[in-house]
Amino acid sequence: MYPKGGLEKGDPPYRGEPTLIWAHVKRASKFLILLTGTDEETRRLIIVLAGEAAQKRGYVFFSEVKFIQESDLKTIDELWKQYSDNKFGYSVQKKIWEKSDRDFTKFFIKVGWMKKLEASEVEQFNYRSFPTEFIWEMDENTPEGHLPLTNALRGTQLLTCILTHPAFHGNEEEKGEEKGEENGVPEGKGKKNEGLKGLRNRIFKTDYSF
Amino acid sequence: MLKLVRTLPKVLKYLPSDKAQDARMYILSLQFWLGGSPDNLVNFLKMISGSYVPTLKGMKIEYSDPVLYLDSGIWHPLAPCMYDDVKEYLNWYGTRRDANEKLKSKNAPIIGLVLQRSHIVTGDESHYVAVIMELEARGAKVIPIFAGGLDFSGPVERFFIDPVTKKSMVNSVVSLTGFALVGGPARQDHPRAVEALMKLDVPYIVAVPLVFQTTEEWLNSTLGLHPIQVALQVALPELDGGMEPIIFAGRDPRTGKSHALHKRVEQLCTRAINWAELKKKSKTEKKVAITVFSFPPDKGNVGTAAYLNVFASIFSVLKDLKNDGYNVEGLPETSEALIEDILHDKEAQFNSPNLNVAYKMSVREYQRLTPYATALEENWGKPPGNLNSDGENLMVYGKQYGNVFIGVQPTFGYEGDPMRLLFSKSASPHHGFAAYYSFVEKIFGADAVLHFGTHGSLEFMPGKQVGMSDACYPDSLIGNIPNVYYYAANNPSEATIAKRRSYANTISYLTPPAENAGLYKGLKQLSELISSYQSLKDSGRGPQIVNSIISTARQCNLDKDVDLPEEGEEISAKERDLVVGKVYSKIMEIESRLLPCGLHVIGEPPSAMEAVATLVNIAALNRPEEGISSLPAILAETLGRDIEDVYRGSDKGILRDVELLRQITEASRGAVTAFVERSTNKKGQVVDVSDKLTSIFGFGINEPWIQYLSNTKFYRSDREKLRVLFQFLGECLKLIVADNELGSLKQALEGKYVEPGPGGDPIRNPKVLPTGKNIHALDPQAIPTTAALQSAKVVVDRLLERQKADNGGKYPETVALVLWGTDNIKTYGESLAQVMWMIGVRPVADTFGRVNRVEPVSLEELGRPRIDVVVNCSGVFRDLFINQMNLLDRAVKLVAELDEPEDQNYVRKHALEQAKALNVDVREAASRVFSNASGSYSSNINLAVENSSWNDEKQLQEMYLSRKSFAFDSDAPGVGMMEKKKIFEMALSTADATFQNLDSSEISLTDVSHYFDSDPTNLVQSLRKDGKKPSAYIADTTTANAQVRTLSETVRLDARTKLLNPKWYEGMLSSGYEGVREIEKRLTNTVGWSATSGQVDNWVYEEANTTFIQDEAMLNRLMNTNPNSFRKLIQTFLEANGRGYWETSADNIERLRQLYSEVEDKIEGIDR
């Protein structure tokens, strides 16, 4: 139902210095054409970065997020943004979350982690089923901030801690700029996106073969 | 044994023989299996296959030793191990590197969690981890304990109570198991659970994970939580005093594992912390929002609650809180001044009903504070709307005194809108309603809300029946505030709705002390005449006195109740006796009827003498299971009579028996009074019952009841039986006069555990006492009990006899009846059993005593045809007893499919006809169990009548049809209620009789609007092809001698004992403001009966007019005490006349019109 977000038991625990994380991230970036893999790798990395106990457990306890280095989280986020044309990444999610008044239901609906229940008499939403109902495609139908997935099986405190991590503290200031952008030059931005989309379609063909 | 399993393998390892190795493997297998974790199971398979699969034997498959888990202990996802010592756990907790300052602070609240071991061991614990994270992230420490068995009472005491100080180490406890503390789903031991929780003395919440439904199924269901889970995981924990059945975990359909529901977890955790904070905060800083109700919306009704003098009670509560250290600055000197403060707006706001405005909330602020505001627009448009609004702002009415806010809960808002009342589903709360609760939570910042008295509308707002989701209004409205609710002890069913839907900690209050209705005016004269007849009947003056009796009885309108001969008609001595006997029996019935006099004030328990009438009635019931004989039975026995025999004779009007019964009643009262007098001090208080009692008991002739009886004809009564009975009455007396209502409230506000106790009728079940308990219902699967079935048979037989007698010996083919929640709780399912006995089935219980099957009773045994039924379940019954609805529907379908002749099985007869007419199969046609749509209550006829917002009876009938036509289908139980209006109409059209039960002496037909709200008598008439009015009956099982009366007889009895009885209305008027409203309410409910059944006699209105309007002094008292309610009273009289229910002189009507404009002026004048 949800992203499993755990290390496989067999994976060697990460024991290096935080700066050496790059090797892992680079390994991840190779997979960026395969969003599924990258997404999984991101969650694996978060666990690795949270420390040995988290690795042994197989998931991150919310209070362990503070052990993650600012630079490491930033790097992961930068890679996501860079390769998704600012569509994905934690900082992208953070903006959406802040705009939703930090209400996770509103946020989950916006990033497409929850779906509307058609059979319900009142307007209600349920979590999407993992993995079949999530989208690992650089498609315009994929909602902004859809990736990377963070496990909500254990509630929302883990994600809260990631989104409020000092690595993303700069984002509040961007709020203003972003607004300006929205009002100011929407057309130009749209065009740029279209150009990139073509490129993406050529380079990032979806392939689930491995 | 387990110890052996642990140590044996170590010993066996060093024994060489194969046999020993096999034994070792066997024990290891056990360890792997009991350890149950995924790792253990993998290693188990490795070990077994490596050792016993021939081809693998040489391969030396490596496996690890089993990991053993504690059987019970403390578990935390971050901890290196499980602990079986709380100090060790806390030591580790203190060294956590990940914890922030807030969590480490000494002031952090500590929440105890109760978990199931199997979830932890098997790794299906995501939902537990979610709760732990949420609590810690909000700055609360946790102590999560688990146990493998079904008894958590031991671990709770061991891990939550400091072994040295014996004090609780936690501030609140949340069980995430959903089970009763002792016994889980199997055999519970509630007393043991309560004992453990009393020691702990903190709020105890039992949250529920979904088990039988996936998340999506629950979200889509209007029922909410699956009925089986409701029975096992909501109803049973309530008996332990468990609160807040919040669904916190869903189920993934793919993996079957539990997962957190993030908003629900948030709701659960903030509420658990807020309960814990009540324990931590000082009294001076604690903020309490007292919420009063206004039903129906009218200024004269502010502060309505059943049996309660609300403002006097609030005043008494606040005085007490003030002495206790709460900040109640500016509290007026008297309760009258308190009323003035709240009711009258000094600055008269435009478009306000002149209540004091406590806060004006701008639309912008409202929207910011109320996340669900947009969802209300579908029903009410954009805020602010026109309810509780000045056109720009939303208005919160009430008044603040220091840290206490007294506010008026807004009303449904659609009471005056006939169109809305017709909708089969209820409308959402309006903006003003939502604004009220946003104010209380977010602007006033209440630490707790106290809902004052039975009952408001919050818990009846739309949403799931049980197991609220984010989209259910009661849950959204109550938000994060701990909810304490003063609730009448006699209403466990609606109290349960408040508990489940609005998370209330219900604290019971006593209904006012009952008195015997007594006799007045003509009725009193009659009784005097009868007594002179008895002494003079053989003196030749007999015929003359009988003539006076007959004419007086006629003046008293008794001619409809007793067949009176024409005046002057010559009748024989024997006939004279019979006429007098019948009148006498009626008089005695009226005289001995119990009525609650006046209104209860919290903190003022009845004096011992006020408890006498209640005790006499407690003494009138046989309690064979406790070895207690009833007082009337003991007394009758003295004269060699069987009391049942005397009852029957008296019912028939045999003068000798009526007189004997009167003597028995008198002797009972005398004996109990003598007893009570002796056990109290001069001030009438029961100071030291136990001491007094020991000195009383066992002194034979000195026993006060013996002394009393020695001067009567019952002087030879069985002393041992009397001693057993009076010992029991002594216990009851202590409980009646105990004063725990204020104490329990203070406990709740201090974050302590409030002892749970059953709600119900104190006469039937003295365990209801003392009040001040957290009310619960009962195990819904325990009903109907065998005893209930026995009583049900008596009532059904009497009902059928009565109907036959009035209808040329013909059985009714169909009876339309009502099932009430409270009724079935109090009587352990008597009315449920009545339905079963009518259609001829018998409930069958399993080994745990749970009723989940029925079997047909043969026609031979039944000795009559099976009677068809149309069952109208109240919305509350539906919420509480959905499994029993399922059982009933199965029973009806079973009976419809029996291969029996149609003239012996009316269920089958009608179902076949209906199946043919509607072109459906018999099973579907045999739908007889109806109620409202889920999350919707009542037919709304009550609202329409109370607010005079209806045009004609047709409209009321249409309401009934559209709102009550939702059937429960046992062939599709998960679907919930489905609209089946056509079958409902067809079934009703076959009804020859309508029928309801009265369950308590203190609630009769005109006391509440529920009874006429659910009465279909006129509706059935309009549906019947022959247009004939069905007979209407009311069963009264509140006294030892159960009665089936016609509806009109009961209406008359009720009018005579209440509305028209000086004892009753003077009692009410002594409560002032509220008293006028109580009088008006009875009259309005009487109009309700005219509207739904047409069974109210003209004289009832005429006498009421004489009593309240023609009496100038009375008139002025009413007008001055509560002009708003008095205006409504006048309006109701005029309405009764306008609608054709009351014919009277033009003078009377003119006077009423004139009074109406006078009181209007008066109200204007007062307010200006």
Side-chain angles (χ1 to χ4, degrees):
Chain A
M1 177 171 237
Y2 303 88
K4 217 170 89 204
L7 264 190
E8 291 308 312
K9 283 275 150 139
D11 279 6
Y14 172 77
R15 292 178 200 282
E17 291 298 312
T19 42
L20 291 180
I21 185 73
W22 258 113
H24 279 257
V25 175
K26 280 206 174 123
R27 185 155 78 88
S29 67
K30 280 186 201 152
F31 289 105
L32 203 60
I33 45 166
L34 276 177
L35 282 170
T36 326
T38 314
D39 182 40
E40 226 165 78
E41 181 64 8
T42 304
R43 283 194 299 280
R44 196 183 75 85
L45 281 172
I46 295 289
I47 295 173
V48 169
L49 292 168
E52 208 169 315
Q55 288 183 58
K56 222 168 133 191
R57 200 182 310 120
Y59 63 89
V60 181
F61 200 76
F62 79 106
S63 51
E64 292 169 326
V65 172
K66 69 177 180 195
F67 301 138
I68 303 177
Q69 298 287 326
E70 218 178 301
S71 55
D72 291 340
L73 258 189
K74 267 191 174 150
T75 308
I76 294 173
D77 187 50
E78 283 304 321
L79 281 167
W80 271 103
K81 288 207 291 194
Q82 189 184 333
Y83 286 93
S84 68
D85 192 26
N86 290 321
K87 185 167 184 170
F88 300 139
Y90 293 123
S91 56
V92 178
Q93 291 175 347
K94 176 169 176 140
K95 270 186 213 160
I96 300 170
W97 182 57
E98 295 289 357
K99 267 198 196 163
S100 316
D101 304 321
R102 297 198 168 192
D103 179 314
F104 272 106
T105 302
K106 282 187 201 161
F107 169 76
F108 288 165
I109 294 165
K110 279 189 189 158
V111 301
W113 294 0
M114 283 183 114
K115 62 184 173 189
K116 196 171 168 185
L117 285 179
E118 297 305 332
S120 171
E121 283 185 20
V122 287
E123 191 178 81
Q124 289 196 99
F125 295 82
N126 192 13
Y127 306 98
R128 279 190 193 276
S129 175
F130 183 84
T132 51
E133 294 181 352
F134 288 89
I135 318 165
W136 287 277
E137 277 176 58
M138 279 302 223
D139 195 273
E140 59 186 320
N141 292 329
T142 314
E144 194 181 6
H146 189 66
L147 298 175
L149 303 181
T150 299
N151 191 327
L153 270 177
R154 298 180 190 85
T156 49
Q157 288 302 334
L158 170 61
L159 188 54
T160 305
C161 287
I162 293 175
L163 298 183
T164 52
H165 193 278
F168 310 118
H169 273 184
N171 283 351
E172 278 94 287
E173 292 137 46
E174 283 173 30
K175 249 186 172 173
E177 286 170 39
E178 188 198 88
K179 263 190 185 157
E181 210 173 292
E182 267 176 13
N183 301 335
V185 280
E187 282 167 38
K189 203 187 171 196
K191 263 183 196 165
K192 193 172 142 205
N193 277 347
E194 247 168 55
L196 265 178
K197 202 181 126 201
L199 184 71
R200 269 203 307 272
N201 284 349
R202 263 175 286 137
I203 299 175
F204 305 131
K205 258 194 211 151
T206 20
D207 181 359
Y208 292 119
S209 59
F210 61 99
Chain B
M1 172 64 192
L2 245 109
K3 212 166 196 176
L4 194 69
V5 170
R6 268 175 205 158
T7 50
L8 208 56
K10 284 175 195 151
V11 181
L12 291 173
K13 197 166 183 181
Y14 304 105
L15 290 178
S17 86
D18 277 0
K19 282 248 167 71
Q21 286 316 304
D22 282 346
R24 179 171 168 262
M25 296 280 178
Y26 173 70
I27 302 283
L28 280 178
S29 304
L30 278 179
Q31 291 187 1
F32 279 128
W33 190 252
L34 293 172
S37 69
D39 280 350
N40 276 338
L41 294 181
V42 166
N43 284 315
F44 170 55
L45 287 177
K46 279 183 180 167
M47 176 188 84
I48 293 293
S49 38
S51 313
Y52 297 104
V53 177
T55 47
L56 299 177
K57 262 209 163 151
M59 289 186 64
K60 280 244 170 250
I61 297 178
E62 291 291 326
Y63 63 90
S64 322
D65 281 338
V67 181
L68 297 177
Y69 298 97
L70 292 176
D71 209 39
S72 72
I74 308 172
W75 170 82
H76 190 288
L78 295 190
C81 62
M82 292 172 168
Y83 298 91
D84 65 354
D85 183 298
V86 68
K87 287 275 168 309
E88 277 175 41
Y89 169 78
L90 290 176
N91 283 343
W92 163 78
Y93 208 83
T95 63
R96 272 172 65 178
R97 218 161 50 85
D98 62 298
N100 59 23
E101 286 314 306
K102 204 172 155 198
L103 192 57
K104 284 187 169 163
S105 146
K106 273 230 173 324
N107 287 325
I110 307 175
I111 315 288
L113 296 174
V114 179
L115 314 175
Q116 256 179 296
R117 181 176 177 275
S118 59
H119 274 278
I120 298 171
V121 169
T122 59
D124 182 7
E125 27 64 319
S126 303
H127 53 320
Y128 291 171
V129 178
V131 172
I132 294 172
M133 287 207 263
E134 189 73 27
L135 287 169
E136 291 191 345
R138 291 175 181 276
K141 292 180 187 163
V142 294
I143 304 180
I145 66 167
F146 63 89
L150 293 174
D151 183 354
F152 284 86
S153 64
V156 157
E157 290 190 35
R158 210 166 90 212
F159 301 124
F160 290 156
I161 294 177
D162 190 309
V164 184
T165 63
K166 301 285 174 212
K167 282 201 174 140
S168 168
M169 295 194 295
V170 291
N171 305 125
S172 66
V173 168
V174 184
S175 169
L176 299 179
T177 65
F179 284 121
L181 195 70
V182 182
R187 211 179 273 280
Q188 294 80 33
D189 186 345
H190 300 295
R192 190 140 116 241
V194 170
E195 193 193 320
L197 292 165
M198 296 266 275
K199 281 188 202 158
L200 207 56
D201 204 19
V202 298
Y204 172 59
I205 294 173
V206 182
V208 186
L210 294 181
V211 176
F212 298 111
Q213 290 159 300
T214 65
T215 308
E216 183 157 344
E217 284 166 345
W218 164 68
L219 284 171
N220 279 333
S221 163
T222 50
L223 294 180
L225 188 64
H226 193 283
I228 294 178
Q229 266 194 284
V230 174
L232 293 179
Q233 298 197 298
V234 178
L236 294 179
E238 279 167 0
L239 307 190
D240 296 344
M243 308 188 293
E244 314 218 352
I246 297 174
I247 312 293
F248 74 103
R251 271 172 94 79
D252 182 342
R254 203 174 55 87
T255 63
K257 283 193 170 188
S258 297
H259 66 81
L261 299 161
H262 69 275
K263 274 275 173 103
R264 301 284 83 211
V265 168
E266 235 179 277
Q267 177 78 330
L268 171 65
C269 294
T270 40
R271 294 191 61 83
I273 291 173
N274 285 344
W275 274 112
E277 290 289 353
L278 284 177
K279 190 127 205 164
K280 303 207 73 99
K281 276 198 180 161
S282 74
K283 287 169 188 164
T284 31
E285 60 178 338
K286 219 171 271 178
K287 288 187 154 185
V288 181
I290 296 179
T291 298
V292 300
F293 314 118
S294 176
F295 264 136
D298 181 83
K299 196 168 157 182
N301 289 333
V302 169
T304 344
Y307 315 109
L308 202 58
N309 185 335
V310 171
F311 284 107
S313 296
I314 291 180
F315 190 69
S316 140
V317 165
L318 289 185
K319 265 197 320 198
D320 202 56
L321 288 183
K322 193 174 175 183
N323 291 338
D324 208 32
Y326 288 81
N327 175 2
V328 195
E329 213 183 304
L331 180 70
E333 293 293 313
T334 62
S335 68
E336 286 75 22
L338 187 70
I339 300 180
E340 277 292 301
D341 264 7
I342 290 161
L343 289 193
H344 296 293
D345 179 16
K346 303 285 180 283
E347 300 152 55
Q349 301 299 325
F350 51 101
N351 196 25
S352 92
N354 302 327
L355 298 177
N356 187 58
V357 177
Y359 190 76
K360 286 198 219 173
M361 193 184 282
S362 74
V363 170
R364 194 176 246 270
E365 184 179 35
Y366 162 70
Q367 285 167 325
R368 184 170 56 77
L369 298 178
T370 319
Y372 53 94
T374 43
L376 312 183
E377 289 176 14
E378 186 192 339
N379 276 298
W380 302 101
K382 292 267 176 215
N386 52 16
L387 295 159
N388 287 56
S389 142
D390 65 0
E392 284 169 41
N393 303 292
L394 287 150
M395 317 290 268
V396 176
Y397 298 116
K399 176 102 183 157
Q400 192 168 339
Y401 301 103
N403 281 338
V404 172
F405 168 68
I406 303 175
V408 183
Q409 187 186 66
T411 55
F412 283 115
Y414 48 76
E415 292 88 345
D417 181 345
M419 280 316 290
R420 280 231 168 105
L421 290 176
L422 248 173
F423 290 152
S424 59
K425 288 175 188 159
S426 303
S428 68
H430 58 80
H431 294 297
F433 202 104
Y436 178 82
Y437 282 94
S438 293
F439 166 81
V440 167
E441 182 178 352
K442 291 165 184 164
I443 293 177
F444 172 66
D447 293 301
V449 62
L450 169 60
H451 285 102
F452 217 98
T454 302
H455 59 73
S457 35
L458 166 72
E459 63 272 23
F460 294 101
M461 287 296 174
K464 298 186 187 306
Q465 286 180 204
V466 185
M468 304 291 111
S469 75
D470 302 341
C472 297
Y473 290 111
D475 181 277
S476 310
L477 288 163
I478 197 68
N480 295 329
I481 329 169
N483 183 6
V484 186
Y485 209 141
Y486 264 133
Y487 223 93
N490 68 352
N491 194 343
S493 62
E494 288 180 312
T496 304
I497 303 291
K499 288 167 86 88
R500 294 179 185 174
R501 302 187 89 231
S502 70
Y503 314 136
N505 184 351
T506 48
I507 295 178
S508 61
Y509 62 83
L510 203 61
T511 49
E515 281 180 48
N516 295 107
L519 297 173
Y520 55 93
K521 298 179 189 167
L523 297 172
K524 201 167 179 181
Q525 271 173 33
L526 261 181
S527 110
E528 283 154 10
L529 282 169
I530 290 168
S531 95
S532 61
Y533 172 79
Q534 280 177 296
S535 52
L536 301 172
K537 67 176 179 174
D538 302 321
S539 72
R541 284 191 57 204
Q544 192 194 336
I545 301 176
V546 168
N547 271 340
S548 308
I549 289 178
I550 292 171
S551 67
T552 314
R554 236 186 220 109
Q555 276 165 23
C556 293
N557 302 291
L558 281 170
D559 50 329
K560 290 216 171 82
D561 300 287
V562 180
D563 223 358
L564 296 173
E566 288 302 314
E567 249 167 285
E569 193 179 314
E570 282 288 315
I571 48 174
S572 69
K574 211 175 155 196
E575 282 172 302
R576 281 202 297 270
D577 268 13
L578 196 61
V579 169
V580 174
K582 279 184 173 162
V583 172
Y584 198 14
S585 148
K586 274 286 152 199
I587 298 277
M588 291 320 296
E589 180 181 72
I590 295 166
E591 193 278 338
S592 62
R593 197 123 178 107
L594 271 193
L595 37 105
C597 269
L599 295 167
H600 179 60
V601 176
I602 303 260
E604 291 180 15
S607 68
M609 289 317 285
E610 284 174 326
V612 167
T614 308
L615 279 181
V616 169
N617 274 270
I618 290 178
L621 295 187
N622 260 320
R623 298 170 204 270
E625 64 284 0
E626 290 160 82
I628 300 169
S629 312
S630 79
L631 189 47
I634 298 173
L635 297 180
E637 225 174 67
T638 319
L639 307 179
R641 293 288 306 270
D642 177 358
I643 188 69
E644 288 301 321
D645 224 39
V646 181
Y647 286 146
R648 242 166 286 142
S650 168
D651 288 350
K652 283 189 194 134
I654 298 170
L655 186 55
R656 198 172 70 98
D657 285 347
V658 182
E659 175 58 19
L660 177 58
L661 190 57
R662 191 196 60 78
Q663 288 167 347
I664 288 177
T665 309
E666 199 182 288
S668 298
R669 287 177 192 165
V672 172
T673 309
F675 163 65
V676 171
E677 271 171 354
R678 185 75 86 77
S679 53
T680 50
N681 66 10
K682 280 182 195 135
K683 283 185 194 158
Q685 293 160 321
V686 183
V687 226
D688 201 351
V689 185
S690 45
D691 273 11
K692 284 270 184 193
L693 284 184
T694 27
S695 68
I696 292 172
F697 285 112
F699 284 91
I701 197 86
N702 277 330
E703 289 170 338
W705 51 91
I706 299 290
Q707 279 177 356
Y708 174 84
L709 291 176
S710 63
N711 297 323
T712 68
K713 69 200 288 191
F714 307 103
Y715 64 95
R716 285 200 317 203
S717 297
D718 186 320
R719 291 199 178 170
E720 190 44 41
K721 281 186 180 172
L722 283 173
R723 190 168 300 135
V724 173
L725 172 68
F726 276 91
Q727 233 146 16
F728 174 69
L729 292 181
E731 290 303 313
C732 294
L733 176 61
K734 253 194 287 183
L735 297 178
I736 293 174
V737 299
D739 178 14
N740 287 350
E741 295 169 0
L742 277 174
S744 296
L745 171 69
K746 284 191 279 186
Q747 282 182 326
L749 292 179
E750 285 163 32
K752 292 179 177 169
Y753 175 74
V754 176
E755 189 186 348
D761 181 2
I763 290 169
R764 248 187 259 258
N765 183 6
K767 288 200 185 92
V768 167
L769 304 166
T771 46
K773 286 184 187 162
N774 186 357
I775 308 176
H776 59 68
L778 42 68
D779 176 355
Q781 299 190 89
I783 67 163
T785 57
T786 324
L789 184 64
Q790 283 309 323
S791 320
K793 282 182 187 172
V794 175
V795 171
V796 170
D797 290 346
R798 286 191 185 172
L799 171 71
L800 296 179
E801 281 312 311
R802 182 86 204 241
Q803 168 76 7
K804 268 172 69 182
D806 297 350
N807 286 278
K810 267 173 43 191
Y811 281 106
E813 289 201 4
T814 305
V815 176
L817 45 78
V818 183
L819 289 185
W820 295 105
T822 290
D823 173 7
N824 279 286
I825 292 171
K826 286 178 183 167
T827 63
Y828 291 89
E830 272 182 30
S831 49
L832 185 65
Q834 288 166 0
V835 182
M836 292 180 175
W837 195 245
M838 283 181 198
I839 64 173
V841 297
R842 182 180 282 122
V844 185
D846 67 7
T847 48
F848 289 124
R850 291 185 187 135
V851 180
N852 39 33
R853 222 157 49 78
V854 288
E855 61 184 24
V857 176
S858 71
L859 285 171
E860 292 78 57
E861 188 187 339
L862 208 54
R864 57 159 168 88
R866 299 182 195 279
I867 310 295
D868 196 2
V869 289
V870 189
V871 185
N872 164 15
C873 301
S874 76
V876 174
F877 182 91
R878 171 206 62 204
D879 285 5
L880 261 43
F881 296 111
I882 194 96
N883 286 312
Q884 274 62 23
M885 286 175 75
N886 188 357
L887 192 66
L888 268 192
D889 190 59
R890 269 160 45 204
V892 170
K893 290 182 161 57
L894 173 94
V895 168
E897 287 182 331
L898 288 174
D899 186 14
E900 289 172 346
E902 287 181 24
D903 64 346
Q904 286 300 302
N905 182 339
Y906 296 133
V907 183
R908 181 170 176 77
K909 176 185 170 192
H910 298 149
L912 287 173
E913 285 166 12
Q914 289 150 4
K916 206 169 150 201
L918 296 170
N919 200 19
V920 294
D921 62 27
V922 179
R923 281 187 81 79
E924 196 183 333
S927 293
R928 296 291 185 266
V929 186
F930 294 90
S931 185
N932 294 81
S934 293
S936 176
Y937 303 83
S938 108
S939 73
N940 277 352
I941 290 174
N942 54 353
L943 295 180
V945 168
E946 283 164 356
N947 294 281
S948 317
S949 54
W950 53 290
N951 300 330
D952 53 20
E953 288 175 14
K954 189 89 205 123
Q955 194 184 26
L956 297 181
Q957 291 165 14
E958 196 44 52
M959 267 181 207
Y960 193 98
L961 281 178
S962 64
R963 288 181 61 85
K964 284 284 179 188
S965 55
F966 290 78
F968 186 87
D969 186 354
S970 59
D971 291 338
V975 181
M977 309 303 296
M978 272 183 301
E979 188 165 24
K980 286 188 183 165
K981 201 168 166 185
K982 202 65 222 161
I983 293 181
F984 187 49
E985 282 181 22
M986 289 181 88
L988 278 176
S989 76
T990 63
D992 297 314
T994 65
F995 174 57
Q996 295 199 50
N997 284 283
L998 290 181
D999 55 74
S1000 308
S1001 49
E1002 70 275 10
I1003 317 173
S1004 191
L1005 292 184
T1006 56
D1007 291 321
V1008 290
S1009 54
H1010 303 54
Y1011 290 119
F1012 74 76
D1013 180 73
S1014 57
D1015 171 61
T1017 306
N1018 278 353
L1019 169 62
V1020 168
Q1021 183 181 17
S1022 76
L1023 290 170
R1024 278 180 69 106
K1025 287 194 195 88
D1026 58 7
K1028 192 179 156 217
K1029 184 167 267 200
S1031 320
Y1033 298 103
I1034 302 285
D1036 176 356
T1037 56
T1038 58
T1039 52
N1041 183 16
Q1043 299 281 332
V1044 175
R1045 302 188 184 94
T1046 65
L1047 175 58
S1048 57
E1049 281 168 354
T1050 318
V1051 169
R1052 285 195 290 273
L1053 179 61
D1054 212 36
R1056 284 183 177 121
T1057 49
K1058 299 229 164 113
L1059 187 63
L1060 305 176
N1061 183 356
K1063 196 168 184 179
W1064 181 83
Y1065 58 72
E1066 286 298 340
M1068 282 299 165
L1069 284 174
S1070 65
S1071 307
Y1073 171 81
E1074 277 93 349
V1076 185
R1077 177 173 67 225
E1078 292 295 323
I1079 293 168
E1080 173 268 305
K1081 210 167 91 185
R1082 297 307 183 294
L1083 187 72
T1084 303
N1085 290 340
T1086 306
V1087 171
W1089 282 108
S1090 287
T1092 58
S1093 73
Q1095 302 289 307
V1096 185
D1097 299 338
N1098 202 61
W1099 67 264
V1100 173
Y1101 293 109
E1102 195 64 38
E1103 293 270 306
N1105 186 63
T1106 313
T1107 309
F1108 298 110
I1109 307 297
Q1110 289 185 349
D1111 179 342
E1112 202 68 26
M1114 173 60 77
L1115 180 102
N1116 289 327
R1117 265 168 87 194
L1118 298 176
M1119 179 146 39
N1120 293 330
T1121 321
N1122 187 339
N1124 289 281
S1125 286
F1126 181 67
R1127 174 171 59 181
K1128 180 75 171 53
L1129 184 76
I1130 305 272
Q1131 196 187 323
T1132 308
F1133 271 117
L1134 288 168
E1135 192 180 334
N1137 174 260
R1139 294 192 189 275
Y1141 302 142
W1142 174 37
E1143 278 175 38
T1144 189
S1145 66
D1147 285 355
N1148 278 340
I1149 295 304
E1150 189 42 45
R1151 175 76 180 125
L1152 284 166
R1153 289 209 182 108
Q1154 189 194 334
L1155 276 171
Y1156 189 82
S1157 67
E1158 260 175 50
V1159 73
E1160 285 262 273
D1161 288 350
K1162 193 172 170 66
I1163 289 172
E1164 297 287 310
I1166 284 174
D1167 283 347
R1168 240 174 243 137

